[in-house]
């Protein structure tokens, strides 16, 4: 399926790994039809999107098989019952070991798809982070991230807002690099039919 790795498939759902640079869903422009869900639907026509990752982000994506399963799985995301862990490499040496970023976000319409912090009109957004490693030579820090909310570009903008943009994320002020170093590493949810806990982990490619 052209760089899409399948982690799990059954009659209710499919878990795949999205490569960096590929859209999760079709873009508005005719030239942006190629994406994860259309590639999956070529083999599994009943596959539907449950959540998305930014084009620059790699990692685990959950898809439903059929409308009923899409509704059930989407409800888990809405109720914040899905465990999500990301890993990022950020510019600079983060001083603290753990922390939270709570800054409301809104679309920066003149510069879309860019988002911005807006303390009056923005929607609440919360990110928890933990330092995994620091590299004094490159002056970069490896972080584990938990997006408690799921706003567009939340992790990217939150980290940039505290002075530690993700490596390669030029949209939010980082120095250019081979890729944006953000990966959706772990996903945990309840199977919509059996109720069994499903947990997946993807190796980080940077």
């Amino acid at each position: 399926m052209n760089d899409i790795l399948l982690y799990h498939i059954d009659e209710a759902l499919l878990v795949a790994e999205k490569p960096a640079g590929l859209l999760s869903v079709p873009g508005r422009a005719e030239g942006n039809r190629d994406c994860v869900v259309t590639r999956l639907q070529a083999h599994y026509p009943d596959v539907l999107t449950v959540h998305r990752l930014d084009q620059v982000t790699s990692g685990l994506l959950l898809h439903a098989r059929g409308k009923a399963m899409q509704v059930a799985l989407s409800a888990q995301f809405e109720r914040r019952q899905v465990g999500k862990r990301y890993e990022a490499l950020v510019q600079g040496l983060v001083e603290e070991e753990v922390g939270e970023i709570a800054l409301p976000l809104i679309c920066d319409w003149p510069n879309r798809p860019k988002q911005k912090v807006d303390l009056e009109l923005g929607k609440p957004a919360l990110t928890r982070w933990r330092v995994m490693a620091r590299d004094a030579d490159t002056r970069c820090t490896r972080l584990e991230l938990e997006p408690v909310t799921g706003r567009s570009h939340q992790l990217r903008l939150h980290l940039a807002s505290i002075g530690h943009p993700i490596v390669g994320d030029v949209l939010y002020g980082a120095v250019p690099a081979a890729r944006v170093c953000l990966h959706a590493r772990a996903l945990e949810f309840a199977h919509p039919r059996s109720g069994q806990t499903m947990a997946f982990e993807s190796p980080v490619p940077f």
Side-chain angles (χ1 to χ4, degrees), residues 37-68:
V37 72
T38 54
R39 289 189 189 183
L40 292 174
Q41 286 171 345
H43 299 269
Y44 309 100
D46 61 348
V47 163
L48 297 171
T49 299
V50 176
H51 67 123
R52 307 176 186 186
L53 295 175
D54 290 348
Q55 185 174 7
V56 299
T57 306
S58 55
L60 296 172
L61 269 177
L62 172 62
H63 291 81
R65 301 194 67 183
K67 187 64 181 177

Side-chain angles (χ1 to χ4, degrees), residues 10-148:
D10 61 32
E11 76 288 346
L13 58 91
L14 183 153
V15 178
E17 180 176 297
K18 184 185 91 64
L22 183 64
L23 292 166
S24 296
V25 297
R28 291 188 179 89
E30 191 59 36
N32 288 338
R33 308 308 294 171
D34 183 34
C35 63
V36 174
V37 72
T38 54
R39 289 189 189 183
L40 292 174
Q41 286 171 345
H43 299 269
Y44 309 100
D46 61 348
V47 163
L48 297 171
T49 299
V50 176
H51 67 123
R52 307 176 186 186
L53 295 175
D54 290 348
Q55 185 174 7
V56 299
T57 306
S58 55
L60 296 172
L61 269 177
L62 172 62
H63 291 81
R65 301 194 67 183
K67 187 64 181 177
M69 294 299 98
Q70 185 187 40
V71 170
L73 290 168
S74 296
Q76 291 190 45
F77 278 88
E78 291 166 9
R79 294 194 294 262
R80 299 180 186 172
Q81 296 172 329
V82 177
K84 295 173 288 182
R85 292 293 185 279
Y86 290 68
E87 196 163 314
L89 200 60
V90 303
Q91 291 183 183
L93 298 178
V94 179
E95 292 183 5
E96 297 83 3
E97 296 301 320
V98 296
E100 291 187 348
I101 307 167
L103 291 170
L105 308 180
I106 194 171
C107 182
D108 185 357
W109 284 105
N111 301 299
R112 61 184 184 274
K114 198 172 184 180
Q115 308 290 307
K116 65 179 181 179
V117 173
D118 190 318
L119 300 179
E120 293 183 2
L121 301 176
K123 294 181 179 179
L126 176 62
T127 299
R128 296 188 178 120
W129 58 266
R130 176 180 68 85
V131 170
M132 301 176 71
R134 297 179 181 88
D135 188 328
D137 293 331
T138 62
R139 294 197 61 79
C140 289
T141 305
R142 187 172 293 272
L143 297 177
E144 180 185 69
L145 305 169
E146 179 192 358
V148 179

